[in-house]
Amino acid sequence: MNQQTVLEFARGPFFYFALLFMLFGLAYRLFSVISLGWSKNRVPNKGSQAKGVFMTFLKGVLIWPFIPWVKNTFTRNPLIYIGGGLFHLSLFVVIILGTPHMLVTKSLVGVQWATLPLPIVDFMAATGIIAMLILLVNRMIHPVMKLISGPAEYLAWLFVFLPMITGYMMTHHIGGSYESLFTRHMITVDVLMIWIPLSRLSHFVFYFFSRAIHGQEFGKRGVAV
Amino acid sequence: MSEETIKKGLADKGVSRRDFLKLGGLLAAAMGMQLPPLEQSGLPAALGTPARGSQIEQNILHALETKQRLPVIWLEFQDCTGCTEAVSRSVSPSLENLVLNTLTIEYHETLSAAAGYQIEQAKQDAMKKYAGQYILVVEGSIPTDNDGAYCVIGGRTAIDHLKEAAAGAAAIIAVGNCAAYGGLPKAKPNPTGAKGVWELITDKAVVNISGCPAIPEATTGTIAHFAIFGTLPELDNLNRPKTFYGKTVHDRCLRRPFYEAGKFALSFDDEGAREGYCLYKLGCKGPTPYNACATIKWDQGLSFPIQSGHPCLGCSEPNFWDGGGFYQGQSTPLDKPTVAVVGAAVGVGAALGIGTALVNQSKKKAKKGGSK
């Protein structure tokens, strides 16, 4: 079995399985929560739930990240806020605005969009990797973080870190032939996709649902304003 | 024939001393020689010491002057003759001559004037006469299903012919992706059970000059290397000479700066295509295949596919026919689930999720009811 065969496996059947497993697992988890039902609303609502959803996304995604100092989460834990923020921004740039990743989406669903030049994507990838390392060290030395971190947290970190570092190595041709780097990247991505529904990494989908549910809850008004 | 030295053979054909010297330099360049394997080649060790001018060139000239001519047997199986076509147009007439005329090609189905029983007999005679000395060049894949019935020459299967010729060969060179890794005939569903030479001949080193077709200079350069030094060039893990297959097409691509700058052609007739931007988004496989297309190029260094506006297909790699669509990005997955399969996965997941929720709900209700 040569490198090419392993690569074809990682890009072919393994990816196929990982993708279906991720979709299956996310659907299962989502519906097993949604179908539990909501508690009955005993007070007639006078506010707009739709507006609540809109406002919570607006604040959470577009406002607070750019004026973070108004939030306690920032002022009390600036390292985690900045590190985590940069890491998520890096993921967005690399996965959505990186050319090879856009092509994956294009081949799967047929939609394509403009991407950023490689040096910018590369810089953001490096930023994400450094942010992840700093956050890991923080997790390991901060007394409170140490206390609330178990194997699940470290595994989630590892399964996200591996595709990032292998992707970075692949871009820079560090540590082997292109096929072997490509293979490593694809295998780690496949493993990550399998791990997503089994762990809290599923928040990359569920975040939007929970945010929406919180938003409509915030939009409720028991008394007329 | 093969008792003459290579130089004498050339001189007999009217090649002047000046052209002979040029040939030496050309060969050194074509083979990418930096340090010739002097010890194995049996050439005087004194040649290893630095001398005036190009030391490598002098070594090659010395070898051409002293080495005997080399018989070549060229077998064709499941092929399109494309690699022969390519070699017959290799960059310089002298290099092509060296391989096709000066080295004695004793058997070549396409180039031989003779046919049928006569040429078969000539091949048998040559294999007997030059046992253990000749170079075996194979073009085309070898079918193995149904006892090799899909390719029969002179009443005998391709496997038979290959094994017979390989037994007495001094070196085996598989030219083209078909002979090297199975190529097009091996593409799914591989109806003939096609295989590359190195899958069948395991007791001898097989040099793979992959490509579709193989770059002619890589073929002639490798044959010339063996003719001159008596050894095979250094090979990579897929048995390709590192001289020609040491770098990826992407590494040496003239459109590489556009890749780095993120400037891509999005279709074959957009502004980007006209500006000569990178073809990565049009499915270029350049980053994976190892080949010398971007440096040696084709038709006397005129152009190569990417230069003329077509993405690289990755034809120097095993199974390139099945490596995803030719016009799909190379990062894309090879197997895509259909909408129905995705629907089924999500549907089953959702159904199981709803089922679990209902069970949990009823358990909760039962518990509440019980506590009341």
Side-chain angles (χ1 to χ4, degrees), chain A residues 11 15-16 28 32 35-36 99-100 103 107 115 117-119 177-179, chain B residues 260-261 281 287 290 330-334 336-337 349-350 353-354 356 361:
Chain A
R11 283 178 67 197
F15 179 86
Y16 188 94
Y28 169 79
S32 65
S35 312
L36 280 174
T99 311
L103 290 179
S107 85
T115 52
L118 185 65
S177 66
Y178 188 84
E179 314 88 271
Chain B
E260 301 294 342
K281 285 190 179 175
Y290 289 80
Q330 101 159 149
S331 59
T332 57
L334 298 182
K336 276 194 297 183
I354 293 170
T356 316
Q361 259 185 343

PDB file of all heavy atoms in Angstrom, chain A residues 11 15-16 28 32 35-36 99-100 103 107 115 117-119 177-179, chain B residues 260-261 281 287 290 330-334 336-337 349-350 353-354 356 361:
ATOM      1  N   ARG A  11      -9.207  10.755   1.048  1.00  0.00           N
ATOM      2  CA  ARG A  11     -10.027  11.700   0.280  1.00  0.00           C
ATOM      3  C   ARG A  11     -11.323  11.050  -0.186  1.00  0.00           C
ATOM      4  O   ARG A  11     -12.274  11.737  -0.541  1.00  0.00           O
ATOM      5  CB  ARG A  11      -9.266  12.177  -0.963  1.00  0.00           C
ATOM      6  CG  ARG A  11      -8.205  13.201  -0.703  1.00  0.00           C
ATOM      7  CD  ARG A  11      -7.492  13.559  -1.997  1.00  0.00           C
ATOM      8  NE  ARG A  11      -8.365  14.249  -2.937  1.00  0.00           N
ATOM      9  CZ  ARG A  11      -8.114  14.389  -4.227  1.00  0.00           C
ATOM     10  NH1 ARG A  11      -7.032  13.876  -4.740  1.00  0.00           N
ATOM     11  NH2 ARG A  11      -8.949  15.035  -5.015  1.00  0.00           N
ATOM     12  N   PHE A  15     -13.451  10.048   3.925  1.00  0.00           N
ATOM     13  CA  PHE A  15     -14.105  11.356   3.954  1.00  0.00           C
ATOM     14  C   PHE A  15     -15.621  11.171   3.831  1.00  0.00           C
ATOM     15  O   PHE A  15     -16.406  11.802   4.549  1.00  0.00           O
ATOM     16  CB  PHE A  15     -13.582  12.233   2.808  1.00  0.00           C
ATOM     17  CG  PHE A  15     -14.226  13.600   2.763  1.00  0.00           C
ATOM     18  CD1 PHE A  15     -13.715  14.639   3.514  1.00  0.00           C
ATOM     19  CD2 PHE A  15     -15.348  13.822   1.982  1.00  0.00           C
ATOM     20  CE1 PHE A  15     -14.311  15.888   3.484  1.00  0.00           C
ATOM     21  CE2 PHE A  15     -15.955  15.070   1.946  1.00  0.00           C
ATOM     22  CZ  PHE A  15     -15.429  16.103   2.704  1.00  0.00           C
ATOM     23  N   TYR A  16     -16.018  10.309   2.912  1.00  0.00           N
ATOM     24  CA  TYR A  16     -17.435  10.017   2.666  1.00  0.00           C
ATOM     25  C   TYR A  16     -18.110   9.569   3.964  1.00  0.00           C
ATOM     26  O   TYR A  16     -19.158  10.090   4.369  1.00  0.00           O
ATOM     27  CB  TYR A  16     -17.499   8.894   1.623  1.00  0.00           C
ATOM     28  CG  TYR A  16     -18.866   8.561   1.093  1.00  0.00           C
ATOM     29  CD1 TYR A  16     -19.324   9.142  -0.073  1.00  0.00           C
ATOM     30  CD2 TYR A  16     -19.667   7.612   1.717  1.00  0.00           C
ATOM     31  CE1 TYR A  16     -20.560   8.814  -0.593  1.00  0.00           C
ATOM     32  CE2 TYR A  16     -20.910   7.281   1.210  1.00  0.00           C
ATOM     33  CZ  TYR A  16     -21.350   7.889   0.050  1.00  0.00           C
ATOM     34  OH  TYR A  16     -22.572   7.557  -0.459  1.00  0.00           O
ATOM     35  N   TYR A  28     -29.060  13.843  14.758  1.00  0.00           N
ATOM     36  CA  TYR A  28     -29.545  13.106  15.926  1.00  0.00           C
ATOM     37  C   TYR A  28     -29.548  13.988  17.169  1.00  0.00           C
ATOM     38  O   TYR A  28     -30.551  14.106  17.871  1.00  0.00           O
ATOM     39  CB  TYR A  28     -28.653  11.862  16.166  1.00  0.00           C
ATOM     40  CG  TYR A  28     -28.910  11.199  17.493  1.00  0.00           C
ATOM     41  CD1 TYR A  28     -30.013  10.354  17.651  1.00  0.00           C
ATOM     42  CD2 TYR A  28     -28.088  11.442  18.589  1.00  0.00           C
ATOM     43  CE1 TYR A  28     -30.270   9.754  18.869  1.00  0.00           C
ATOM     44  CE2 TYR A  28     -28.341  10.853  19.804  1.00  0.00           C
ATOM     45  CZ  TYR A  28     -29.433  10.015  19.946  1.00  0.00           C
ATOM     46  OH  TYR A  28     -29.697   9.442  21.163  1.00  0.00           O
ATOM     47  N   SER A  32     -32.861  15.328  19.063  1.00  0.00           N
ATOM     48  CA  SER A  32     -33.124  14.758  20.385  1.00  0.00           C
ATOM     49  C   SER A  32     -33.297  15.863  21.421  1.00  0.00           C
ATOM     50  O   SER A  32     -33.898  15.641  22.470  1.00  0.00           O
ATOM     51  CB  SER A  32     -32.010  13.795  20.788  1.00  0.00           C
ATOM     52  OG  SER A  32     -30.816  14.504  20.945  1.00  0.00           O
ATOM     53  N   SER A  35     -36.869  18.088  20.080  1.00  0.00           N
ATOM     54  CA  SER A  35     -38.136  17.368  20.237  1.00  0.00           C
ATOM     55  C   SER A  35     -38.577  17.205  21.683  1.00  0.00           C
ATOM     56  O   SER A  35     -39.641  16.667  21.948  1.00  0.00           O
ATOM     57  CB  SER A  35     -38.037  15.984  19.598  1.00  0.00           C
ATOM     58  OG  SER A  35     -37.497  16.098  18.317  1.00  0.00           O
ATOM     59  N   LEU A  36     -37.700  17.657  22.601  1.00  0.00           N
ATOM     60  CA  LEU A  36     -38.128  17.570  23.998  1.00  0.00           C
ATOM     61  C   LEU A  36     -39.272  18.545  24.267  1.00  0.00           C
ATOM     62  O   LEU A  36     -40.023  18.399  25.226  1.00  0.00           O
ATOM     63  CB  LEU A  36     -36.951  17.896  24.923  1.00  0.00           C
ATOM     64  CG  LEU A  36     -35.960  16.755  25.162  1.00  0.00           C
ATOM     65  CD1 LEU A  36     -34.779  17.240  25.965  1.00  0.00           C
ATOM     66  CD2 LEU A  36     -36.647  15.590  25.873  1.00  0.00           C
ATOM     67  N   THR A  99      -8.915  29.159  -0.511  1.00  0.00           N
ATOM     68  CA  THR A  99      -9.325  28.617  -1.809  1.00  0.00           C
ATOM     69  C   THR A  99      -9.575  27.102  -1.804  1.00  0.00           C
ATOM     70  O   THR A  99     -10.627  26.661  -2.262  1.00  0.00           O
ATOM     71  CB  THR A  99      -8.269  28.965  -2.877  1.00  0.00           C
ATOM     72  OG1 THR A  99      -7.985  30.346  -2.767  1.00  0.00           O
ATOM     73  CG2 THR A  99      -8.752  28.635  -4.258  1.00  0.00           C
ATOM     74  N   PRO A 100      -8.627  26.292  -1.307  1.00  0.00           N
ATOM     75  CA  PRO A 100      -8.856  24.849  -1.390  1.00  0.00           C
ATOM     76  C   PRO A 100     -10.118  24.425  -0.644  1.00  0.00           C
ATOM     77  O   PRO A 100     -10.830  23.522  -1.074  1.00  0.00           O
ATOM     78  CB  PRO A 100      -7.610  24.246  -0.737  1.00  0.00           C
ATOM     79  CG  PRO A 100      -6.601  25.325  -0.741  1.00  0.00           C
ATOM     80  CD  PRO A 100      -7.352  26.601  -0.666  1.00  0.00           C
ATOM     81  N   LEU A 103     -13.226  25.189  -2.540  1.00  0.00           N
ATOM     82  CA  LEU A 103     -13.436  24.222  -3.626  1.00  0.00           C
ATOM     83  C   LEU A 103     -14.089  22.933  -3.122  1.00  0.00           C
ATOM     84  O   LEU A 103     -14.818  22.267  -3.860  1.00  0.00           O
ATOM     85  CB  LEU A 103     -12.104  23.900  -4.318  1.00  0.00           C
ATOM     86  CG  LEU A 103     -11.525  25.050  -5.150  1.00  0.00           C
ATOM     87  CD1 LEU A 103     -10.203  24.636  -5.761  1.00  0.00           C
ATOM     88  CD2 LEU A 103     -12.497  25.468  -6.241  1.00  0.00           C
ATOM     89  N   SER A 107     -17.469  21.587  -4.674  1.00  0.00           N
ATOM     90  CA  SER A 107     -17.656  20.260  -5.248  1.00  0.00           C
ATOM     91  C   SER A 107     -18.821  19.533  -4.583  1.00  0.00           C
ATOM     92  O   SER A 107     -19.470  18.702  -5.194  1.00  0.00           O
ATOM     93  CB  SER A 107     -16.381  19.435  -5.116  1.00  0.00           C
ATOM     94  OG  SER A 107     -16.319  18.814  -3.862  1.00  0.00           O
ATOM     95  N   THR A 115     -12.268  34.162  -2.872  1.00  0.00           N
ATOM     96  CA  THR A 115     -11.457  33.804  -1.714  1.00  0.00           C
ATOM     97  C   THR A 115     -10.319  34.801  -1.561  1.00  0.00           C
ATOM     98  O   THR A 115     -10.078  35.615  -2.435  1.00  0.00           O
ATOM     99  CB  THR A 115     -10.881  32.395  -1.881  1.00  0.00           C
ATOM    100  OG1 THR A 115     -10.235  32.328  -3.159  1.00  0.00           O
ATOM    101  CG2 THR A 115     -11.967  31.345  -1.806  1.00  0.00           C
ATOM    102  N   PRO A 117      -6.253  35.969  -0.948  1.00  0.00           N
ATOM    103  CA  PRO A 117      -4.933  35.497  -1.369  1.00  0.00           C
ATOM    104  C   PRO A 117      -4.286  34.628  -0.293  1.00  0.00           C
ATOM    105  O   PRO A 117      -4.532  34.817   0.905  1.00  0.00           O
ATOM    106  CB  PRO A 117      -4.139  36.783  -1.565  1.00  0.00           C
ATOM    107  CG  PRO A 117      -5.145  37.853  -1.730  1.00  0.00           C
ATOM    108  CD  PRO A 117      -6.354  37.427  -0.963  1.00  0.00           C
ATOM    109  N   LEU A 118      -3.447  33.731  -0.754  1.00  0.00           N
ATOM    110  CA  LEU A 118      -2.821  32.780   0.161  1.00  0.00           C
ATOM    111  C   LEU A 118      -2.086  33.426   1.338  1.00  0.00           C
ATOM    112  O   LEU A 118      -2.252  32.982   2.467  1.00  0.00           O
ATOM    113  CB  LEU A 118      -1.884  31.862  -0.627  1.00  0.00           C
ATOM    114  CG  LEU A 118      -1.250  30.738   0.181  1.00  0.00           C
ATOM    115  CD1 LEU A 118      -2.310  29.761   0.679  1.00  0.00           C
ATOM    116  CD2 LEU A 118      -0.208  30.002  -0.633  1.00  0.00           C
ATOM    117  N   PRO A 119      -1.284  34.483   1.132  1.00  0.00           N
ATOM    118  CA  PRO A 119      -0.541  35.045   2.274  1.00  0.00           C
ATOM    119  C   PRO A 119      -1.456  35.494   3.420  1.00  0.00           C
ATOM    120  O   PRO A 119      -1.105  35.331   4.585  1.00  0.00           O
ATOM    121  CB  PRO A 119       0.196  36.248   1.658  1.00  0.00           C
ATOM    122  CG  PRO A 119       0.325  35.921   0.222  1.00  0.00           C
ATOM    123  CD  PRO A 119      -0.902  35.150  -0.138  1.00  0.00           C
ATOM    124  N   SER A 177       6.744  14.695   1.740  1.00  0.00           N
ATOM    125  CA  SER A 177       6.290  14.968   0.384  1.00  0.00           C
ATOM    126  C   SER A 177       4.876  15.543   0.433  1.00  0.00           C
ATOM    127  O   SER A 177       4.169  15.386   1.430  1.00  0.00           O
ATOM    128  CB  SER A 177       6.284  13.683  -0.440  1.00  0.00           C
ATOM    129  OG  SER A 177       5.328  12.799   0.074  1.00  0.00           O
ATOM    130  N   TYR A 178       4.473  16.185  -0.640  1.00  0.00           N
ATOM    131  CA  TYR A 178       3.158  16.822  -0.665  1.00  0.00           C
ATOM    132  C   TYR A 178       2.045  15.807  -0.401  1.00  0.00           C
ATOM    133  O   TYR A 178       1.114  16.081   0.351  1.00  0.00           O
ATOM    134  CB  TYR A 178       2.947  17.513  -2.017  1.00  0.00           C
ATOM    135  CG  TYR A 178       1.710  18.362  -2.064  1.00  0.00           C
ATOM    136  CD1 TYR A 178       1.725  19.667  -1.584  1.00  0.00           C
ATOM    137  CD2 TYR A 178       0.525  17.865  -2.581  1.00  0.00           C
ATOM    138  CE1 TYR A 178       0.598  20.449  -1.615  1.00  0.00           C
ATOM    139  CE2 TYR A 178      -0.611  18.647  -2.622  1.00  0.00           C
ATOM    140  CZ  TYR A 178      -0.580  19.936  -2.142  1.00  0.00           C
ATOM    141  OH  TYR A 178      -1.714  20.696  -2.177  1.00  0.00           O
ATOM    142  N   GLU A 179       2.172  14.609  -1.019  1.00  0.00           N
ATOM    143  CA  GLU A 179       1.109  13.610  -0.835  1.00  0.00           C
ATOM    144  C   GLU A 179       1.005  13.192   0.620  1.00  0.00           C
ATOM    145  O   GLU A 179      -0.091  13.015   1.139  1.00  0.00           O
ATOM    146  CB  GLU A 179       1.321  12.328  -1.646  1.00  0.00           C
ATOM    147  CG  GLU A 179       1.713  12.459  -3.059  1.00  0.00           C
ATOM    148  CD  GLU A 179       3.207  12.528  -3.188  1.00  0.00           C
ATOM    149  OE1 GLU A 179       3.703  13.667  -3.123  1.00  0.00           O
ATOM    150  OE2 GLU A 179       3.863  11.499  -3.366  1.00  0.00           O
TER     151      GLU A 179
ATOM    152  N   GLU B 260       0.245  31.932  -5.469  1.00  0.00           N
ATOM    153  CA  GLU B 260       0.618  32.547  -4.194  1.00  0.00           C
ATOM    154  C   GLU B 260      -0.156  33.838  -3.964  1.00  0.00           C
ATOM    155  O   GLU B 260      -0.508  34.175  -2.842  1.00  0.00           O
ATOM    156  CB  GLU B 260       2.122  32.842  -4.156  1.00  0.00           C
ATOM    157  CG  GLU B 260       3.010  31.624  -4.326  1.00  0.00           C
ATOM    158  CD  GLU B 260       2.909  30.641  -3.172  1.00  0.00           C
ATOM    159  OE1 GLU B 260       2.425  31.025  -2.096  1.00  0.00           O
ATOM    160  OE2 GLU B 260       3.311  29.477  -3.364  1.00  0.00           O
ATOM    161  N   ALA B 261      -0.394  34.576  -5.041  1.00  0.00           N
ATOM    162  CA  ALA B 261      -1.080  35.860  -4.910  1.00  0.00           C
ATOM    163  C   ALA B 261      -2.595  35.700  -4.867  1.00  0.00           C
ATOM    164  O   ALA B 261      -3.323  36.678  -4.709  1.00  0.00           O
ATOM    165  CB  ALA B 261      -0.693  36.762  -6.068  1.00  0.00           C
ATOM    166  N   LYS B 281      -8.136  26.561  -9.558  1.00  0.00           N
ATOM    167  CA  LYS B 281      -9.587  26.447  -9.357  1.00  0.00           C
ATOM    168  C   LYS B 281     -10.265  25.744 -10.515  1.00  0.00           C
ATOM    169  O   LYS B 281     -11.444  25.383 -10.420  1.00  0.00           O
ATOM    170  CB  LYS B 281     -10.209  27.838  -9.162  1.00  0.00           C
ATOM    171  CG  LYS B 281      -9.934  28.415  -7.793  1.00  0.00           C
ATOM    172  CD  LYS B 281     -10.758  29.663  -7.564  1.00  0.00           C
ATOM    173  CE  LYS B 281     -10.494  30.227  -6.180  1.00  0.00           C
ATOM    174  NZ  LYS B 281     -11.190  31.493  -5.972  1.00  0.00           N
ATOM    175  N   PRO B 287       0.066  20.524  -7.709  1.00  0.00           N
ATOM    176  CA  PRO B 287       0.795  20.331  -6.462  1.00  0.00           C
ATOM    177  C   PRO B 287       1.154  18.875  -6.128  1.00  0.00           C
ATOM    178  O   PRO B 287       2.072  18.645  -5.364  1.00  0.00           O
ATOM    179  CB  PRO B 287      -0.158  20.896  -5.405  1.00  0.00           C
ATOM    180  CG  PRO B 287      -0.971  21.889  -6.146  1.00  0.00           C
ATOM    181  CD  PRO B 287      -1.149  21.315  -7.519  1.00  0.00           C
ATOM    182  N   TYR B 290       4.740  14.562  -9.429  1.00  0.00           N
ATOM    183  CA  TYR B 290       6.158  14.846  -9.600  1.00  0.00           C
ATOM    184  C   TYR B 290       6.495  14.609 -11.066  1.00  0.00           C
ATOM    185  O   TYR B 290       6.322  13.500 -11.571  1.00  0.00           O
ATOM    186  CB  TYR B 290       6.985  13.925  -8.705  1.00  0.00           C
ATOM    187  CG  TYR B 290       6.855  14.288  -7.253  1.00  0.00           C
ATOM    188  CD1 TYR B 290       5.749  13.898  -6.506  1.00  0.00           C
ATOM    189  CD2 TYR B 290       7.839  15.049  -6.629  1.00  0.00           C
ATOM    190  CE1 TYR B 290       5.612  14.256  -5.180  1.00  0.00           C
ATOM    191  CE2 TYR B 290       7.714  15.405  -5.300  1.00  0.00           C
ATOM    192  CZ  TYR B 290       6.598  15.008  -4.583  1.00  0.00           C
ATOM    193  OH  TYR B 290       6.471  15.376  -3.265  1.00  0.00           O
ATOM    194  N   GLN B 330      -8.272  20.087  -6.696  1.00  0.00           N
ATOM    195  CA  GLN B 330      -7.633  18.881  -6.202  1.00  0.00           C
ATOM    196  C   GLN B 330      -7.869  18.649  -4.714  1.00  0.00           C
ATOM    197  O   GLN B 330      -7.638  17.558  -4.219  1.00  0.00           O
ATOM    198  CB  GLN B 330      -6.164  18.902  -6.563  1.00  0.00           C
ATOM    199  CG  GLN B 330      -5.263  19.293  -5.467  1.00  0.00           C
ATOM    200  CD  GLN B 330      -3.861  18.816  -5.735  1.00  0.00           C
ATOM    201  OE1 GLN B 330      -2.954  19.458  -5.308  1.00  0.00           O
ATOM    202  NE2 GLN B 330      -3.656  17.701  -6.411  1.00  0.00           N
ATOM    203  N   SER B 331      -8.358  19.680  -4.020  1.00  0.00           N
ATOM    204  CA  SER B 331      -8.658  19.484  -2.606  1.00  0.00           C
ATOM    205  C   SER B 331      -9.997  18.786  -2.419  1.00  0.00           C
ATOM    206  O   SER B 331     -10.360  18.424  -1.318  1.00  0.00           O
ATOM    207  CB  SER B 331      -8.694  20.840  -1.902  1.00  0.00           C
ATOM    208  OG  SER B 331      -9.668  21.660  -2.501  1.00  0.00           O
ATOM    209  N   THR B 332     -10.735  18.608  -3.506  1.00  0.00           N
ATOM    210  CA  THR B 332     -12.095  18.098  -3.359  1.00  0.00           C
ATOM    211  C   THR B 332     -12.108  16.607  -3.053  1.00  0.00           C
ATOM    212  O   THR B 332     -11.215  15.879  -3.455  1.00  0.00           O
ATOM    213  CB  THR B 332     -12.903  18.325  -4.637  1.00  0.00           C
ATOM    214  OG1 THR B 332     -12.208  17.688  -5.715  1.00  0.00           O
ATOM    215  CG2 THR B 332     -13.048  19.786  -4.935  1.00  0.00           C
ATOM    216  N   PRO B 333     -13.146  16.177  -2.310  1.00  0.00           N
ATOM    217  CA  PRO B 333     -13.245  14.748  -1.993  1.00  0.00           C
ATOM    218  C   PRO B 333     -13.469  13.907  -3.251  1.00  0.00           C
ATOM    219  O   PRO B 333     -14.034  14.394  -4.231  1.00  0.00           O
ATOM    220  CB  PRO B 333     -14.450  14.676  -1.059  1.00  0.00           C
ATOM    221  CG  PRO B 333     -15.171  15.953  -1.215  1.00  0.00           C
ATOM    222  CD  PRO B 333     -14.202  16.968  -1.693  1.00  0.00           C
ATOM    223  N   LEU B 334     -13.009  12.662  -3.182  1.00  0.00           N
ATOM    224  CA  LEU B 334     -13.128  11.793  -4.355  1.00  0.00           C
ATOM    225  C   LEU B 334     -14.532  11.203  -4.473  1.00  0.00           C
ATOM    226  O   LEU B 334     -15.039  11.022  -5.566  1.00  0.00           O
ATOM    227  CB  LEU B 334     -12.106  10.661  -4.279  1.00  0.00           C
ATOM    228  CG  LEU B 334     -10.643  11.100  -4.283  1.00  0.00           C
ATOM    229  CD1 LEU B 334      -9.726   9.894  -4.258  1.00  0.00           C
ATOM    230  CD2 LEU B 334     -10.353  11.935  -5.501  1.00  0.00           C
ATOM    231  N   LYS B 336     -18.463  11.680  -3.527  1.00  0.00           N
ATOM    232  CA  LYS B 336     -19.452  12.624  -2.990  1.00  0.00           C
ATOM    233  C   LYS B 336     -20.730  11.875  -2.698  1.00  0.00           C
ATOM    234  O   LYS B 336     -21.235  11.156  -3.559  1.00  0.00           O
ATOM    235  CB  LYS B 336     -19.766  13.697  -4.038  1.00  0.00           C
ATOM    236  CG  LYS B 336     -18.801  14.837  -4.051  1.00  0.00           C
ATOM    237  CD  LYS B 336     -19.348  15.984  -4.855  1.00  0.00           C
ATOM    238  CE  LYS B 336     -19.539  15.577  -6.312  1.00  0.00           C
ATOM    239  NZ  LYS B 336     -19.994  16.699  -7.144  1.00  0.00           N
ATOM    240  N   PRO B 337     -21.285  12.052  -1.491  1.00  0.00           N
ATOM    241  CA  PRO B 337     -22.574  11.429  -1.246  1.00  0.00           C
ATOM    242  C   PRO B 337     -23.667  12.135  -2.072  1.00  0.00           C
ATOM    243  O   PRO B 337     -23.629  13.349  -2.226  1.00  0.00           O
ATOM    244  CB  PRO B 337     -22.793  11.624   0.250  1.00  0.00           C
ATOM    245  CG  PRO B 337     -21.862  12.693   0.659  1.00  0.00           C
ATOM    246  CD  PRO B 337     -20.748  12.754  -0.334  1.00  0.00           C
ATOM    247  N   GLY B 349     -30.824  10.136  11.397  1.00  0.00           N
ATOM    248  CA  GLY B 349     -30.349  10.825  12.597  1.00  0.00           C
ATOM    249  C   GLY B 349     -31.486  11.558  13.279  1.00  0.00           C
ATOM    250  O   GLY B 349     -31.680  11.440  14.499  1.00  0.00           O
ATOM    251  N   ALA B 350     -32.276  12.299  12.483  1.00  0.00           N
ATOM    252  CA  ALA B 350     -33.391  13.063  13.038  1.00  0.00           C
ATOM    253  C   ALA B 350     -34.426  12.130  13.658  1.00  0.00           C
ATOM    254  O   ALA B 350     -34.910  12.372  14.781  1.00  0.00           O
ATOM    255  CB  ALA B 350     -34.023  13.919  11.938  1.00  0.00           C
ATOM    256  N   GLY B 353     -33.187  10.832  16.815  1.00  0.00           N
ATOM    257  CA  GLY B 353     -33.184  11.928  17.780  1.00  0.00           C
ATOM    258  C   GLY B 353     -34.581  12.148  18.353  1.00  0.00           C
ATOM    259  O   GLY B 353     -34.767  12.243  19.577  1.00  0.00           O
ATOM    260  N   ILE B 354     -35.574  12.209  17.443  1.00  0.00           N
ATOM    261  CA  ILE B 354     -36.964  12.423  17.888  1.00  0.00           C
ATOM    262  C   ILE B 354     -37.400  11.254  18.756  1.00  0.00           C
ATOM    263  O   ILE B 354     -38.015  11.429  19.817  1.00  0.00           O
ATOM    264  CB  ILE B 354     -37.883  12.592  16.659  1.00  0.00           C
ATOM    265  CG1 ILE B 354     -37.533  13.911  15.938  1.00  0.00           C
ATOM    266  CG2 ILE B 354     -39.355  12.596  17.083  1.00  0.00           C
ATOM    267  CD1 ILE B 354     -38.193  14.063  14.589  1.00  0.00           C
ATOM    268  N   THR B 356     -35.524   9.295  20.605  1.00  0.00           N
ATOM    269  CA  THR B 356     -34.889   9.410  21.923  1.00  0.00           C
ATOM    270  C   THR B 356     -35.617  10.451  22.768  1.00  0.00           C
ATOM    271  O   THR B 356     -35.877  10.235  23.959  1.00  0.00           O
ATOM    272  CB  THR B 356     -33.415   9.837  21.766  1.00  0.00           C
ATOM    273  OG1 THR B 356     -32.844   9.089  20.712  1.00  0.00           O
ATOM    274  CG2 THR B 356     -32.637   9.634  23.026  1.00  0.00           C
ATOM    275  N   GLN B 361     -39.150  11.954  27.138  1.00  0.00           N
ATOM    276  CA  GLN B 361     -40.348  12.678  27.590  1.00  0.00           C
ATOM    277  C   GLN B 361     -41.269  11.748  28.373  1.00  0.00           C
ATOM    278  O   GLN B 361     -41.747  12.079  29.460  1.00  0.00           O
ATOM    279  CB  GLN B 361     -41.100  13.204  26.380  1.00  0.00           C
ATOM    280  CG  GLN B 361     -40.863  14.677  26.131  1.00  0.00           C
ATOM    281  CD  GLN B 361     -41.716  15.180  24.987  1.00  0.00           C
ATOM    282  OE1 GLN B 361     -42.230  14.387  24.201  1.00  0.00           O
ATOM    283  NE2 GLN B 361     -41.862  16.482  24.884  1.00  0.00           N
TER     284      GLN B 361
END
